[in-house]
């Protein structure tokens, strides 16, 4: 509720970042309170975009995040100049965001479950995916495979980074190939889509989770409204390309409020554990064979199950 | 595997002088008039409606062509065709986007822009090829996947991601050819393979030049500059390592001599299949993975401290300042601002209390 002051406020002395207006319900939100409520409007539930550090703090157990490959930096492979040279845009983005590129990855724990996690940050050049973002997602997937940790990727991106041309496009192939290997190895992957997840990111790793989650009202689309309008002169209906639309069409398992996201992940991680490696399973089973209740040797049974599971993973990948 | 085929390389005289080899960090001259015209001529060649498309090429260069239809889930996408055919001694599965050469056919083919069912048909054919031990040859010629309501509803993005995944792990050799427009994810969805070929006047880009121009230049008229800046010609893509081999087009271009174009392309495909078919599948798949794993350009400053801490050091700030020039001056690096993500569309309000 607006506070009526008995005198005219002194504008110059007023800190600019104190209040934020909710774009959905027009409510004035006190920034400190907004931070406390995980940047969700108290009145209407509008989810503001979250920076990478806040997201990691929200999802992971306190002080468990260990960043990897923090030193990866974009270069300018094409010598790309539009209205400004690409290196200038990069430098400006680094200054304004305080991070090196649009993704950060590392290991951490969610309620004691170890995970490999990669989080994107829309504030850095619209979360666009260039070589660094693609490399980080790929390294996260490869590490998840090697260390047999469930993989969580939180996407927030406008799509591939145009300034890196087809090298950005190739990141789709690179990340997906790594995820296919991860799936074949029986290591689970949860994709969390936040506002916005569009273009090349949606058309690669974000769409491929064993479980796909999305935040309420997040824009999730292959082609943004502008591309549709520009390419085929088709205006898209309202409410289209939102998380709830994706849910209704079967591409998202659950639309989860930010406040519940950590608990939902925690619940899922109870099930999404990497399948035991086949060799280890048969050895364990052989040690325990002696159980006369089974007509077949237990090791054979376990092997068959492991085979079936691998087959299922493959056909799904 | 692409060595020894240099005879098929284009004698590229028109672009050789105008276009410098792409070099890391090289400043590209988007305002160079001659370069812009040379590159734009190729974009128009790639889009020429009279250019032979997938079915025309396959009928000219392969025998025993049998087309197959339908994704078994929703329908048959006329914008993406596929089936069996025979390249020389090699029986194969072919898949490709199909544009029309007349207005009516082009409308029926949806201008070569597949929906999700197109990519799901492609995946069905890829899996069939794997089961039968047949190699796959794909022909890429699309402005992009269809960006409309129907396509979003049926999950075109998911189908593209899955198709990329199926191709990256498919246990049979794959040869991909960019024959015309290689438009973004809709092209890449059928362009993950062991060797990527391209016709001389083909283009390959992350977004259409018009789309890039309207976003980065805020004006579709800058499409020509965008085309130059993205280095989308087949020759430049080859220099970047995205394309392995470029096949010269005869006469004025593929539309001028479709038979000769098909003959050259057919010979190259057969040579590639000759080289790929005897290879052990495990090695082939590892090489395919590595081929795309290597893609990308980045630097690793190799530090283990978090960027925020490091940015506070004076040396780093100086380096940032010197490296970026004027744009940085006056912009004081501060701590992570929680509101920055919303700055553009939700500026902090100061007028109201």
């Amino acid at each position: 509720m607006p506070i009526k002051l008995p005198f005219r406020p002194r504008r110059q002395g007023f800190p600019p970042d104190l209040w934020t207006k909710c774009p959905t319900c027009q409510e004035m939100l006190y920034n400190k309170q907004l931070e406390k409520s995980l940047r969700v409007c108290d009145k209407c539930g509008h989810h503001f975009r979250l920076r990478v550090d806040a997201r990691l703090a929200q999802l992971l157990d306190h002080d468990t995040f260990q960043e990897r490959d923090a030193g990866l930096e974009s270069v300018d492979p094409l010598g790309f100049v539009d209205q400004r040279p690409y290196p200038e845009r990069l430098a400006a983005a680094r200054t304004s965001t305080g991070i090196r590129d649009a993704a950060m990855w590392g290991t951490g724990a969610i309620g004691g479950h170890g995970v490999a996690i990669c989080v994107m940050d829309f504030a850095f050049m619209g979360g666009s995916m260039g070589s660094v973002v693609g490399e980080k997602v790929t390294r996260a997937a490869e590490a998840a495979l090697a260390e047999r940790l469930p993989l969580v990727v939180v996407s927030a991106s406008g799509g591939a980074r145009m300034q890196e041309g087809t090298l950005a496009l190739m990141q789709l192939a690179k990340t997906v190939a790594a995820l296919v290997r991860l799936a074949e190895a029986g290591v689970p992957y949860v994709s969390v889509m936040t506002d916005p997840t569009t273009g090349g990111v949606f058309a690669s790793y974000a769409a491929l989770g064993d479980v796909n989650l999305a935040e309420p009202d997040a824009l999730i689309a292959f082609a943004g409204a502008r591309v549709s309008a520009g390419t085929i002169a088709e205006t898209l209906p309202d409410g289209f390309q939102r998380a709830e639309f994706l849910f209704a069409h079967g591409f998202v398992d659950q639309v989860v409020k930010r406040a519940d996201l950590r608990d939902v992940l925690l619940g899922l991680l109870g099930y999404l554990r990497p399948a035991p490696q086949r060799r280890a399973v048969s050895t364990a089973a052989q040690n325990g064979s002696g159980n006369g209740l089974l007509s077949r040797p237990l090791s054979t049974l376990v092997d068959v199950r492991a085979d079936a599971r691998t087959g299922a993973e493959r056909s799904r990948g | 595997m692409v060595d020894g085929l240099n005879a098929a390389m284009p004698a590229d005289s028109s672009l050789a002088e105008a276009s410098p080899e792409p070099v890391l960090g090289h400043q590209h001259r988007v305002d160079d008039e001659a370069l812009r015209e040379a590159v734009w001529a190729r974009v128009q060649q790639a889009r020429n409606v009279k250019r032979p498309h997938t079915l025309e090429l396959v009928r000219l260069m392969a025998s025993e062509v049998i087309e197959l239809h339908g994704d078994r889930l929703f329908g048959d996408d006329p914008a993406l065709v596929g089936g069996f055919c025979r390249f020389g001694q090699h029986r194969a599965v072919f898949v490709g986007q199909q544009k029309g050469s007349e207005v009516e056919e082009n409308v029926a083919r949806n201008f070569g822009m597949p929906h999700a069912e197109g990519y799901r048909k492609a995946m069905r054919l890829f899996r069939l090829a794997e089961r039968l031990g047949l190699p796959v040859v794909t022909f890429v010629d699309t402005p992009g996947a269809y960006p409309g309501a129907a396509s979003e509803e049926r999950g075109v993005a998911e189908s593209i991601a899955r198709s990329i995944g199926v191709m990256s792990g498919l246990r049979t050799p794959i040869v991909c050819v960019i024959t015309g427009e290689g438009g973004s994810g809709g092209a890449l969805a059928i362009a993950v393979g062991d060797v990527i070929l391209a016709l001389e006047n083909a283009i390959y880009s992350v977004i259409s030049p018009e789309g890039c121009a309207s976003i980065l230049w805020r004006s579709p008229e800058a499409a020509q500059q965008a085309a130059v800046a993205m280095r989308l010609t087949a020759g430049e893509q080859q220099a970047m390592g995205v394309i392995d081999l470029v096949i010269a087009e005869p006469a004025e271009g593929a539309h001028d001599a479709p038979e000769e174009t098909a003959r050259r392309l057919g010979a190259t495909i057969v040579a590639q299949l000759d080289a790929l078919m005897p290879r052990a599948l495990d090695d082939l798949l590892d090489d395919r993975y590595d081929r795309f794993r290597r893609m990308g350009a980045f630097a690793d400053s190799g530090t283990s401290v978090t960027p925020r801490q490091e940015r506070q050091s004076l040396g780093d700030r100086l380096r940032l300042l010197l490296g970026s020039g004027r744009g940085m001056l006056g912009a004081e690096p501060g701590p992570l601002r929680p509101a920055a993500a919303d700055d553009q569309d939700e500026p902090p309000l100061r007028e109201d209390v």
Side-chain angles (χ1 to χ4, degrees), chain B residues 6-167:
Chain B
N6 288 336
M9 289 287 293
D12 193 347
S13 57
S14 65
L15 210 60
E17 285 174 32
S19 164
E21 286 291 292
V23 180
L24 277 181
H26 177 85
Q27 293 294 310
H28 214 43
R29 295 161 299 160
V30 291
D31 295 324
D32 182 328
E33 195 78 25
L35 177 61
R36 242 160 58 188
E37 274 167 25
V39 169
W40 197 248
R42 299 210 173 228
V43 174
Q44 286 175 321
Q45 281 263 12
R47 292 171 172 175
N48 190 326
V49 288
K50 295 299 175 197
R51 198 173 169 82
H53 302 123
T54 300
L55 285 175
E56 292 90 272
L57 285 170
V58 167
R59 283 177 190 136
L60 284 170
M61 69 182 143
S63 54
E64 299 167 29
V65 181
I66 301 174
E67 212 188 322
L68 301 173
H69 293 272
D71 68 345
R72 303 295 189 268
L73 295 162
F74 179 82
D76 184 44
D77 190 341
L80 193 143
V81 297
F84 298 120
C85 71
R86 190 183 188 110
F87 297 98
Q89 298 304 306
H90 301 282
R91 286 179 302 126
V93 163
F94 77 93
V95 165
Q97 287 106 356
Q98 180 69 24
K99 294 179 181 174
S101 41
E102 310 291 338
V103 174
E104 219 165 276
E105 193 197 351
N106 228 338
V107 170
R109 296 286 184 190
N110 204 16
F111 301 90
M113 295 188 281
H115 286 67
E117 53 269 27
Y119 297 111
R120 291 183 181 130
K121 171 162 73 176
M123 282 186 264
R124 182 195 142 218
L125 297 179
F126 295 151
R127 292 224 172 81
L128 183 61
E130 179 181 55
R131 228 170 60 227
L132 301 174
L134 299 175
V136 171
V137 182
T138 66
F139 299 91
V140 178
D141 186 14
T142 180
Y146 187 72
S151 154
E152 295 276 1
E153 264 173 8
R154 301 201 282 275
V156 69
E158 192 264 2
S159 73
I160 288 171
R162 294 264 172 225
S163 185
I164 292 169
V166 167
M167 292 188 94

Side-chain angles (χ1 to χ4, degrees), chain A residues 39 73 79 97 100 166 228, chain B residues 26 147 237 293 299 310 336 342:
Chain A
R39 295 188 60 72
E73 278 189 353
T97 60
R100 278 184 200 265
T166 46
S228 294
Chain B
H26 177 85
Q237 290 299 314
R293 183 69 187 81
E310 191 186 302
L336 271 186
D342 298 309

Side-chain angles (χ1 to χ4, degrees), chain A residues 3 5 9 11 16-17 19 21 23 28 35 39 46 48-49 51 53 67 70-73 75-83 88 91 95-98 100 123 131-132 135 138-139 142 160 162-163 165-167 169-174 176-178 180-181 202-204 207-208 221-223 228 231-232 234 236 240-241 245 249 251 315-316, chain B residues 23-28 30 113 120 127 145-149 152-158 160-162 164-165 168 184-185 188 204-207 212 215-217 229-231 237 240 242 285-286 289 292-293 295-301 303 305-308 310-311 324 328 331 333 336-342 345-346 348-351 353:
Chain A
I3 304 161
L5 296 178
R11 282 190 187 164
D17 286 349
W19 297 88
K21 189 173 177 181
M28 294 302 298
E35 296 308 321
R39 295 188 60 72
H46 175 88
F48 289 83
R49 288 169 188 149
R51 294 296 312 271
D53 53 344
E67 187 178 3
L72 294 193
E73 278 189 353
V75 295
D76 180 20
L78 306 189
F80 195 99
V81 182
D82 49 271
Q83 290 178 321
E88 235 177 67
T95 312
S96 70
T97 60
R100 278 184 200 265
S131 301
V132 169
E135 185 69 19
T138 306
R139 288 194 189 184
E142 287 176 342
M162 285 171 285
Q163 289 89 343
T166 46
L167 290 182
L169 183 63
M170 293 302 127
Q171 305 310 310
L172 277 70
K174 183 162 100 180
V176 169
V180 167
R181 292 202 160 182
F202 183 37
S204 59
L208 293 182
F222 171 63
S228 294
T231 316
I232 56 169
E234 189 177 319
L236 301 173
F240 201 78
Q241 302 182 322
F245 174 88
H249 286 84
F251 294 103
S315 66
R316 199 201 39 202
Chain B
V23 180
L24 277 181
H26 177 85
Q27 293 294 310
H28 214 43
V30 291
M113 295 188 281
R120 291 183 181 130
R127 292 224 172 81
Y146 187 72
E152 295 276 1
E153 264 173 8
R154 301 201 282 275
V156 69
E158 192 264 2
I160 288 171
R162 294 264 172 225
I164 292 169
S168 71
S184 194
L188 180 67
Y204 201 5
S205 62
V206 66
I207 183 171
C212 181
I215 296 171
L216 291 183
W217 277 265
M230 288 196 292
R231 299 178 185 267
Q237 290 299 314
M240 282 162 61
V242 171
L285 258 72
D286 283 344
Y289 185 85
F292 290 93
R293 183 69 187 81
M295 293 284 173
F298 51 85
D300 191 347
S301 56
T303 169
V305 292
T306 63
R308 230 191 319 170
E310 191 186 302
R311 260 173 23 81
S324 60
M328 294 279 303
L336 271 186
R337 287 180 301 134
D342 298 309
D345 44 356
E346 294 146 6
L349 296 165
R350 298 161 210 191
E351 300 303 311
V353 178

Side-chain angles (χ1 to χ4, degrees), chain B residues 302-318:
Chain B
T303 169
S304 58
V305 292
T306 63
R308 230 191 319 170
Q309 287 166 325
E310 191 186 302
R311 260 173 23 81
Q312 287 163 355
S313 83
L314 179 65
D316 211 50
R317 274 162 65 175
L318 270 175

Side-chain angles (χ1 to χ4, degrees), chain A residues 209-252:
Chain A
D210 294 303
V211 173
N212 288 342
L213 303 178
E215 286 197 336
D217 205 39
L219 175 72
I220 303 170
F222 171 63
R226 252 197 304 176
V227 177
S228 294
T231 316
I232 56 169
E234 189 177 319
T235 32
L236 301 173
D238 222 23
F240 201 78
Q241 302 182 322
R242 294 284 161 184
E244 293 73 14
F245 174 88
L246 272 284
F247 175 75
H249 286 84
F251 294 103
V252 165

